[in-house]
Amino acid sequence: MMDIRFRRKVKTVARRWNNMDARLKWGILFLVACVYPFLVSSQYYVHIMNLAFIYVVLSLGLNIVCGLAGLLDLGFIAFYAVGAYTYAILSIKLGLSFWEILPIACFTTALFGLLVGSAAFRLRGDYFAIVTMGYGEIIRILANNLTFLTNGPIGIAGIPRPSIFGFKFEDPFQYYFMALAFVAIAVFLTYRFQASRIGRALEAIREDEIAAVSMGVNLKNFKLISFILGAMLGGSIGVFFASYATFVSPESFSFMESVMVLAMVVIGGMGTIEGPVIGALTLVFLPEILRSVSEYRMLIFGALMVFMMIVMPKGFMGWIKPRRILKGAEEENSFVTRNR
């Protein structure tokens, strides 16, 4: 009985939050994020939040592909790797700065997204997922074997840190607000993209491709656009990761990283903006919370994930969103009735 009451209270609070004005809601979250590093007792927690921000941007990028377009991408971490290695190689070998390499990395990952998407969009469903998984493994193996360029399994160390107007980023606290800026830009772009004509077309494709085609939607072009934008977000945060860690190696871009990012999107709620943010923060901070029971940490972590997917199969935001949609429809119907 207490469990049912608790779930109802959580749902009530979540629905009220979900029905708030988007600008007010994200404004509150942004202010909370700004004061967070001043409230924690150690820079270690700031470092954990920086990692969480990296996964938030990755989840938002993958959500454009999976959540909006309905494409199961199991190799999304490859774009993250391309962005990171682009910064590492160009900064060390050519001496370019962070701000010069960032647009180059975005363009490079967009080009990779275009090439992979053009080849893979002839396939559907599980076949598309297998092709993207193969692409992710190809990028990792190339990074492991092109020793003249990537130093192979040794990786690239000593990557220079960014600076702006003479101020050089050194510790996690200084990087925190740059990471927060990346998240804010990613959220803004995702919101604008989802609300645009292209975003609505992608949602139509996700729900029913045949109906979307009958309404004049070009499947290939719109899917390619989603793939390119998602790749650019992944590549941009890859540049940030390389500058933050000052070291990249193929082990940082394994298949399990793609699975982890996909789990963040699914647990938070595919097709929403808040869902990937909630999923990323949960899956980054939960292992840290369970660190006191390190022997059983992964067991508890796995059990909680299984429990959540049983209780909320559509993710957290999918659990509360249908009520919001129904309420909106009821308000619209009542408005029409009053004005007849």
Side-chain angles (χ1 to χ4, degrees):
M1 180 65 69
M2 290 184 65
D3 180 59
I4 295 175
R5 290 177 180 175
F6 176 74
R7 287 174 59 187
R8 286 178 177 173
K9 288 181 180 179
V10 172
K11 266 193 172 184
T12 301
V13 172
R15 285 169 179 166
R16 288 177 179 175
W17 173 263
N18 195 41
N19 290 329
M20 287 177 61
D21 180 72
R23 288 171 294 184
L24 176 62
K25 180 167 55 178
W26 287 105
I28 294 173
L29 290 176
F30 183 76
L31 290 176
V32 172
C34 286
V35 300
Y36 170 83
F38 301 100
L39 300 178
V40 295
S41 58
S42 171
Q43 284 204 8
Y44 174 75
Y45 298 105
V46 179
H47 167 68
I48 296 300
M49 183 59 83
N50 288 340
L51 296 180
F53 284 158
I54 291 173
Y55 281 106
V56 165
V57 178
L58 285 174
S59 300
L60 288 170
L62 182 59
N63 185 55
I64 293 175
V65 180
C66 293
L68 291 184
L71 302 170
L72 182 57
D73 187 351
L74 294 179
F76 185 77
I77 209 70
F79 302 118
Y80 181 48
V82 170
Y85 271 102
T86 299
Y87 177 70
I89 294 169
L90 295 182
S91 62
I92 291 178
K93 294 187 179 297
L94 299 182
L96 298 180
S97 69
F98 178 90
W99 309 108
E100 292 172 331
I101 297 173
L102 183 59
I104 296 175
C106 290
F107 176 78
T108 304
T109 51
L111 182 60
F112 270 87
L114 177 63
L115 293 175
V116 175
S118 299
F121 285 145
R122 298 177 182 179
L123 305 173
R124 292 185 180 181
D126 298 338
Y127 300 100
F128 178 84
I130 292 172
V131 168
T132 55
M133 181 177 67
Y135 166 70
E137 285 300 295
I138 288 171
I139 294 297
R140 186 184 65 81
I141 292 171
L142 286 176
N144 205 34
N145 291 310
L146 296 178
T147 54
F148 70 94
L149 190 63
T150 65
N151 286 342
I154 299 174
I156 302 176
I159 301 172
R161 297 182 183 274
S163 61
I164 181 170
F165 300 120
F167 175 79
K168 190 173 183 179
F169 294 85
E170 295 287 352
D171 55 52
F173 182 85
Q174 295 169 348
Y175 269 99
Y176 179 86
F177 293 98
M178 183 194 290
L180 182 59
F182 271 88
V183 172
I185 294 171
V187 169
F188 175 76
L189 290 177
T190 308
Y191 254 118
R192 296 298 299 169
F193 184 75
Q194 188 175 21
S196 67
R197 183 177 65 89
I198 299 174
R200 292 193 294 271
L202 288 173
E203 290 180 343
I205 293 171
R206 180 193 63 199
E207 298 300 326
D208 192 328
E209 287 191 3
I210 298 176
V213 171
S214 67
M215 296 300 293
V217 175
N218 190 313
L219 293 181
K220 183 177 180 180
N221 289 348
F222 284 114
K223 286 182 177 180
L224 276 177
I225 291 172
S226 70
F227 218 72
I228 291 171
L229 182 58
M232 290 177 66
L233 288 178
S236 65
I237 202 63
V239 174
F240 173 84
F241 167 75
S243 69
Y244 181 61
T246 68
F247 173 77
V248 293
S249 67
E251 286 74 19
S252 301
F253 312 106
S254 64
F255 172 68
M256 288 309 299
E257 287 292 309
S258 289
V259 173
M260 180 62 75
V261 176
L262 181 61
M264 293 172 181
V265 176
V266 173
I267 288 175
M270 296 176 67
T272 64
I273 308 298
E274 299 91 339
V277 177
I278 294 172
L281 294 176
T282 301
L283 293 190
V284 170
F285 274 94
L286 189 58
E288 296 300 319
I289 295 172
L290 299 174
R291 187 174 289 276
S292 58
V293 286
S294 58
E295 294 182 0
Y296 307 100
R297 181 174 59 168
M298 295 310 297
L299 177 63
I300 298 172
F301 180 68
L304 287 174
M305 288 185 64
V306 172
F307 172 78
M308 186 169 182
M309 294 315 300
I310 292 174
V311 176
M312 308 174 190
K314 294 184 178 180
F316 183 76
M317 293 304 299
W319 184 50
I320 63 176
K321 195 174 181 181
R323 175 64 182 172
R324 182 173 70 88
I325 295 173
L326 179 61
K327 182 179 178 181
E330 290 174 351
E331 291 176 352
E332 184 178 351
N333 290 335
S334 63
F335 175 79
V336 173
T337 304
R338 289 196 305 267
N339 289 275
R340 281 182 176 175

